[in-house]
């Protein structure tokens, strides 16, 4: 039951990238991943993808704390881009700082906030949510 | 003067009639001046009525020379009159002196005594004298002298440094402390210019004020200022300067007062340093809290994820002695990080806004969480809280506090008896005191009083005792301006009293 064509992971932590990919695969949700290690890389990559109109990710999992361009800066840039397709975006962070939760509410783009570690259950719930809302 | 007196006495001598004498007596009385006369031939002394009155003797009193001299106060005054009188007799010298006498009624009086030798054929035959009571005048003078001295010694010994400074800045006069503050002698400082004593960097503080005072824009000013002592060291002073003007409002000079504040300056510096240290430590603490909340959490989160994946993907790798232990260690690590996080969170947050919360509602909510445990243990809960009591608190903290104390009350029950928990609240001044009383195991306060609210302190061999609840609770209470007290007896029970700020409706 592959419900998601493509997931974009924006995170600088290779262990998390490794683990989250495995969880998605194990849950049989998705096998196509695009990985960016910081916000800037992601903006560059996504600009091209969106321009070409091919393989636009359905889901973006965005980390907050990253070098060069962090999650918030990415969001500020990304908000200005026009995308033909609906992209679901989740913030994924170890942060449990209420300031971050509060800030997340200010972005319409953000569907929800996921606190690491991410378990299989989290992923399955997330996908269910996405398919229900479609 | 002498002529006037001579005239007076000539008249008296020429006319011995009583009428004239009484006339002279009247004059003498009104002037408080008496006269006397010593006939050296007969050694007879004549005192006028006023002279007798000054001596406070009877009207018919008539002394001999020795007795007359005896009225003068023993010591230097009697010695002096003796010399003066002898000089007049032997050398024909006049005298005029202010002396102290002791009257017949034992009163001390200041008198002016004047003697004129009368010559006949180059020989002194008579001494005529004038005798005036000058006690009042002398006393006024002495009083002024005393007052002047009092002011002088007051200034001299004042606890502050004081100096009179001329309009040009030169020191006119100064007291002991001014000298000792700066380490100079009075002689060294007299007439020097006061700005020469200033610390070079502070030399420009004063002139503008001086100008304003001279221009009558103000009468005084105060500032902190450094001076250089003679040995080159710095003294921090609080300087007050006021201007003195004459009746026509013309500036005369300045009065400068200095107080040595070097010590308090040093203390202030220390406080500033401590504040700085505290600030930077606080920043470090916040950074540390961030490391705990983010970086450590990331790593432990990753470990948890990897372990979960391992279990799913390569189950055979988990079927050994190591995996469950690693798994447990990772869980414990995550839990510890979570705990540290909560603590760091309370301590590093900006002061949180306190909201008004209904205490009874919160208490009932908290009890709801323990419904299962309460049924399980048959616990009896007695709540006595007025439903109008509102406390000022961070809602999440209030929840956590109530949950913690209630959970402890149930958790640490006595093996063989049904737990009874009494919860009540009362208003005390601006606070609400919440008592949570149980009949449980109790805590040995003699042993644990100091560390009861400490981090990772446990007092019972209970499997769930983590030593974190009370620590976090205490931190949360402190953060809300409250306090917590504990009373306990082993095998009898424990009462925690929580004080939270009261919200008046």
């Amino acid at each position: 039951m592959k419900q998601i064509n493509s997931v974009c992971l924006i995170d600088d932590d290779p262990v998390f990238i490794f683990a989250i990919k495995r969880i998605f695969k194990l849950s049989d949700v998705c096998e196509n991943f695009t990985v960016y290690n910081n916000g800037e890389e992601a903006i560059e990559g996504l600009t091209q993808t969106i321009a070409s109109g091919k393989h636009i990710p359905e889901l973006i999992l965005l980390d907050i704390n990253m070098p060069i361009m962090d999650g918030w800066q990415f969001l500020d840039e990304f908000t200005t881009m026009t995308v033909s397709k609906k992209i679901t975006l989740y913030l994924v962070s170890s942060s449990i700082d209420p300031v971050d939760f509060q800030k997340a509410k200010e972005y319409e783009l953000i569907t929800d906030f996921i606190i690491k570690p991410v378990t299989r259950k989290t992923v399955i719930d997330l996908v269910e949510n996405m398919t229900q809302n479609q | 003067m002498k002529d006037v007196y001579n005239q007076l006495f000539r008249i008296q001598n020429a006319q011995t009639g009583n009428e004239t004498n009484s006339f002279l007596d009247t004059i003498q009385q009104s002037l408080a001046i008496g006269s006397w006369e010593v006939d050296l031939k007969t050694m007879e002394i004549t005192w006028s009525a006023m002279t007798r009155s000054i001596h406070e003797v009877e009207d018919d009193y008539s002394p001999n020379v020795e007795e007359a001299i005896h009225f003068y106060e023993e010591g230097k005054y009697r010695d002096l009159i003796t010399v003066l009188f002898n000089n007049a007799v032997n050398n024909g010298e006049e005298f005029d002196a202010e002396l102290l006498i002791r009257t017949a009624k034992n009163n001390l009086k200041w008198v002016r005594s004047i003697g004129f030798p009368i010559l006949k054929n180059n020989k002194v035959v008579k001494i005529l004298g004038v005798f005036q009571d000058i006690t009042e005048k002398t006393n006024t003078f002495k009083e002024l002298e005393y007052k002047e001295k009092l002011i002088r010694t007051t200034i001299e010994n004042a606890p502050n440094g004081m100096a009179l400074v001329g309009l040009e800045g030169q020191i006119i006069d100064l007291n002991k402390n001014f000298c000792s503050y700066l380490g100079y002698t009075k002689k060294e400082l007299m007439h020097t210019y006061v700005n020469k004593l200033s610390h070079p960097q502070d030399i420009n503080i004063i002139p503008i004020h001086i100008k304003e005072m001279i221009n009558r824009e103000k009468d005084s000013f105060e500032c902190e200022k450094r001076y250089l002592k003679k040995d080159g060291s710095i003294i921090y002073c609080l300087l007050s300067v006021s201007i003195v003007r004459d009746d026509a409002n013309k500036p005369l000079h300045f009065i400068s007062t200095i107080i040595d504040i070097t010590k308090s300056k040093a203390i202030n510096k220390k406080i500033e340093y401590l504040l700085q240290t505290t600030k930077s430590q606080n920043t470090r603490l916040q950074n540390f809290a961030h490391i705990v909340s983010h970086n450590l959490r990331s790593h432990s989160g990753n470990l948890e994820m990897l372990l979960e994946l391992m279990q799913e993907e390569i189950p055979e790798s988990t079927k050994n002695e190591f995996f469950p232990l690693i798994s447990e260690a990772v869980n414990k690590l995550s839990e510890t990080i979570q705990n540290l996080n909560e603590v760091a969170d309370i301590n590093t947050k900006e002061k949180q806004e306190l909201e008004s919360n209904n205490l009874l509602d919160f208490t009932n909510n908290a009890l709801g969480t323990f419904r299962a445990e309460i049924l399980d243990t048959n616990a009896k809960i007695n709540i006595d809280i007025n439903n109008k009591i509102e406390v000022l608190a961070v809602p999440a903290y209030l929840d956590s506090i109530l949950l913690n104390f209630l959970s402890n009350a149930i958790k640490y029950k006595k093996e063989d008896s049904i737990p009874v928990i009494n919860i009540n609240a009362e208003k005390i001044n601006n606070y609400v005191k919440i008592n949570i009383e149980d009949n449980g195991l109790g805590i040995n306060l003699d042993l644990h009083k100091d560390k009861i609210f400490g981090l990772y302190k446990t007092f019972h061999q209970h499997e769930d005792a983590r030593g974190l609840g009370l620590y976090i609770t205490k931190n949360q209470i402190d953060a809300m301006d409250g306090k917590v007290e504990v009373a306990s007896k082993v095998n009898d029970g424990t009462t925690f009293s929580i004080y939270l700020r009261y919200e008046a409706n």
Side-chain angles (χ1 to χ4, degrees):
Chain A
M1 54 156 218
K2 291 192 181 46
Q3 287 119 330
I4 300 176
N5 285 332
S6 172
V7 174
C8 171
L9 303 171
I10 310 173
D11 200 311
D12 62 327
D13 179 356
V15 180
F16 177 76
I17 300 276
F18 169 83
I20 195 77
K21 275 188 187 169
R22 294 296 270 253
I23 290 172
F24 269 95
K25 282 181 194 163
L26 214 60
S27 316
D28 213 9
V29 171
C30 179
E31 279 191 351
N32 290 319
F33 300 97
T34 324
V35 177
Y36 301 111
N37 288 321
N38 64 61
E40 196 181 62
E41 266 184 33
I43 288 291
E44 279 170 20
L46 284 169
T47 309
Q48 283 178 18
T49 314
I50 288 165
S52 72
K54 281 178 202 162
H55 307 298
I56 298 175
E58 279 176 68
L59 174 67
I60 296 176
L61 297 185
L62 174 67
D63 186 23
I64 295 174
N65 293 289
M66 287 180 292
I68 305 169
M69 186 190 269
D70 69 16
W72 302 118
Q73 290 168 308
F74 168 84
L75 280 167
D76 292 335
E77 287 273 325
F78 189 65
T79 315
T80 63
M81 291 163 66
T82 30
V83 193
S84 53
K85 215 170 108 185
K86 181 182 159 38
I87 300 177
T88 307
L89 190 147
Y90 279 81
L91 270 188
V92 185
S93 176
S94 306
S95 170
I96 50 162
D97 192 337
V99 176
D100 286 338
F101 293 131
Q102 203 55 46
K103 208 169 167 187
K105 284 186 189 153
E106 290 166 20
Y107 291 88
E108 251 180 74
L109 224 60
I110 301 171
T111 303
D112 209 350
F113 198 116
I114 301 173
I115 296 170
K116 291 178 185 175
V118 179
T119 59
R120 274 185 72 178
K121 189 178 178 316
T122 321
V123 169
I124 289 165
D125 289 349
L126 187 159
V127 174
E128 248 169 41
N129 244 327
M130 269 178 77
T131 43
Q132 268 171 23
N133 287 339
Q134 262 167 13
Chain B
M1 271 282 264
K2 190 184 164 187
D3 290 342
V4 176
Y5 288 122
N6 274 344
Q7 292 242 316
L8 269 175
F9 293 116
R10 239 177 252 139
I11 293 166
Q12 196 184 3
N13 283 335
Q15 311 196 346
T16 44
N18 276 339
E19 283 162 30
T20 320
N21 271 344
S22 66
F23 167 69
L24 286 170
D25 280 346
T26 312
I27 292 173
Q28 290 187 5
Q29 221 114 41
S30 61
L31 293 172
I33 291 173
S35 63
W36 52 269
E37 162 179 347
V38 182
D39 188 326
L40 293 177
K41 256 186 261 166
T42 59
M43 289 309 277
E44 206 173 282
I45 292 182
T46 318
W47 278 2
S48 75
M50 190 61 213
T51 304
R52 283 196 300 273
S53 152
I54 294 171
H55 282 88
E56 295 182 310
V57 291
E58 301 294 320
D59 286 348
D60 56 359
Y61 182 81
S62 158
N64 60 36
V65 171
E66 199 186 327
E67 282 166 348
I69 282 184
H70 229 82
F71 276 97
Y72 290 88
E73 183 68 356
E74 202 182 344
K76 70 176 188 184
Y77 299 107
R78 196 179 294 170
D79 296 347
L80 186 60
I81 194 64
T82 309
V83 171
L84 291 172
F85 186 74
N86 285 338
N87 264 340
V89 171
N90 299 328
N91 309 325
E93 283 175 23
E94 299 170 11
F95 65 87
D96 183 348
E98 290 184 358
L99 302 154
L100 197 60
I101 62 161
R102 190 173 287 277
T103 68
K105 288 182 178 161
N106 208 22
N107 293 318
L108 282 172
K109 280 184 179 174
W110 283 96
V111 294
R112 182 177 177 188
S113 190
I114 301 170
F116 301 107
I118 304 295
L119 298 173
K120 208 173 184 181
N121 301 327
N122 263 343
K123 212 179 153 229
V124 181
V125 289
K126 226 181 217 183
I127 312 281
L128 296 182
V130 179
F131 201 69
Q132 184 185 9
D133 186 345
I134 55 164
T135 309
E136 206 170 307
K137 181 195 105 187
T138 311
N139 280 350
T140 312
F141 177 75
K142 296 263 177 211
E143 206 173 314
L144 277 176
E145 201 178 46
Y146 170 75
K147 278 185 181 161
E148 199 269 343
K149 195 178 166 192
L150 187 71
I151 291 168
R152 200 155 21 86
T153 48
T154 305
I155 292 172
E156 181 65 12
N157 297 302
N160 310 332
M162 287 176 89
L164 294 187
V165 181
L167 297 176
E168 306 296 322
Q170 73 282 16
I171 294 176
I172 302 167
D173 199 1
L174 73 173
N175 75 350
K176 227 160 36 187
N177 262 337
F178 198 98
C179 302
S180 66
Y181 277 175
L182 294 165
Y184 289 95
T185 64
K186 191 166 182 170
K187 217 173 159 187
E188 286 171 317
L189 287 180
M190 276 300 255
H191 309 303
T192 57
Y193 285 86
V194 78
N195 63 359
K196 284 194 177 146
L197 303 167
S198 173
H199 187 284
Q201 284 171 7
D202 289 353
I203 208 155
N204 293 324
I205 299 177
I206 308 300
I208 172 108
H209 296 292
I210 296 294
K211 210 175 137 192
E212 284 174 6
M213 284 196 288
I214 288 178
N215 292 341
R216 293 177 200 164
E217 284 163 37
K218 59 181 172 191
D219 294 328
S220 64
F221 78 95
E222 206 175 271
C223 67
E224 278 185 21
K225 186 174 174 354
R226 288 166 295 176
Y227 290 94
L228 283 184
K229 296 169 78 160
K230 192 182 181 184
D231 63 12
S233 60
I234 295 169
I235 173 171
Y236 285 85
C237 286
L238 186 68
L239 166 70
S240 310
V241 182
S242 56
I243 191 163
V244 180
R245 300 195 182 92
D246 66 9
D247 292 340
N249 221 3
K250 193 175 141 238
L252 296 175
H253 58 258
F254 300 104
I255 303 170
S256 295
T257 318
I258 53 173
I259 300 169
D260 184 355
I261 53 165
T262 310
K263 266 189 199 153
S264 65
K265 270 277 162 191
I267 290 168
N268 264 349
K269 266 195 176 163
K270 203 170 172 186
I271 290 171
E272 243 167 65
Y273 172 75
L274 282 177
L275 192 68
Q276 215 52 47
T277 313
T278 313
K279 270 186 189 163
S280 73
Q281 275 177 347
N282 207 33
T283 310
R284 279 202 293 271
L285 184 63
Q286 261 162 352
N287 290 340
F288 176 74
H290 179 79
I291 293 169
V292 170
S293 88
H294 186 261
N295 301 28
L296 286 184
R297 276 179 59 86
S298 308
H299 301 317
S300 72
N302 282 341
L303 284 172
E304 279 180 77
M305 286 169 75
L306 291 173
L307 286 177
E308 193 193 294
L309 283 168
M310 252 175 104
Q311 223 159 357
E312 293 276 350
E313 290 192 32
I314 16 176
E316 62 277 14
S317 71
T318 66
K319 293 196 174 66
N320 53 53
E321 283 175 86
F322 294 99
F323 191 86
L325 291 176
I326 291 171
S327 191
E328 199 195 323
V330 168
N331 286 339
K332 286 245 170 81
L333 177 65
S334 299
E335 195 189 305
T336 305
I337 290 166
Q338 178 68 31
N339 293 340
L340 280 176
N341 234 310
E342 284 175 44
V343 174
D345 203 49
I346 301 161
N347 287 314
T348 57
K349 277 280 141 50
E350 298 284 313
K351 210 165 177 55
Q352 301 221 35
E353 279 294 311
L354 300 185
E355 294 170 25
S356 178
N357 301 292
N358 185 286
L359 184 61
L360 185 58
D361 288 351
F362 269 75
T363 309
N364 283 328
N365 266 341
L367 281 170
T369 315
F370 299 112
R371 203 171 295 129
E373 287 89 337
I374 291 168
L375 283 174
D376 210 32
T377 53
N378 283 321
K380 201 171 151 32
I381 316 280
N382 304 310
I383 303 177
D384 177 17
I385 299 173
N386 186 310
N387 64 4
K388 289 202 174 62
I389 291 182
E390 303 271 319
V391 292
L392 279 175
V394 178
Y397 289 0
L398 184 56
D399 264 332
S400 147
I401 291 163
L402 291 169
L403 285 174
N404 244 306
F405 284 121
L406 291 174
S407 123
N408 281 347
I410 299 167
K411 200 193 285 181
Y412 301 114
K413 70 178 192 68
K414 269 185 298 211
E415 206 56 51
D416 50 354
S417 57
I418 291 168
V420 178
I421 301 169
N422 298 315
I423 310 164
N424 61 66
E426 54 182 320
K427 277 184 286 183
I428 297 175
N429 297 325
N430 294 323
Y431 284 84
V432 173
K433 181 185 181 192
I434 306 158
N435 294 308
I436 299 177
E437 180 191 349
D438 67 45
N439 62 340
L441 293 170
I443 303 166
N444 187 341
L445 289 180
D446 291 336
L447 229 63
H448 302 302
K449 193 166 177 55
D450 294 336
K451 52 181 183 182
I452 188 159
F453 295 107
L455 185 57
Y456 292 122
K457 303 287 180 214
T458 53
F459 316 105
H460 301 104
Q461 298 294 330
H462 194 285
E463 52 178 325
D464 285 347
R466 295 183 304 147
L468 197 77
L470 284 179
Y471 179 77
I472 287 181
T473 307
K474 167 93 163 79
N475 272 275
Q476 288 170 331
I477 293 170
D478 286 347
M480 298 190 296
D481 259 355
K483 66 171 179 175
V484 55
E485 289 168 354
V486 59
S488 188
K489 211 171 160 192
V490 173
N491 283 325
D492 210 16
T494 305
T495 303
F496 283 100
S497 302
I498 306 131
Y499 294 78
L500 292 176
R501 273 167 57 199
Y502 166 65
E503 167 80 340
N505 289 317

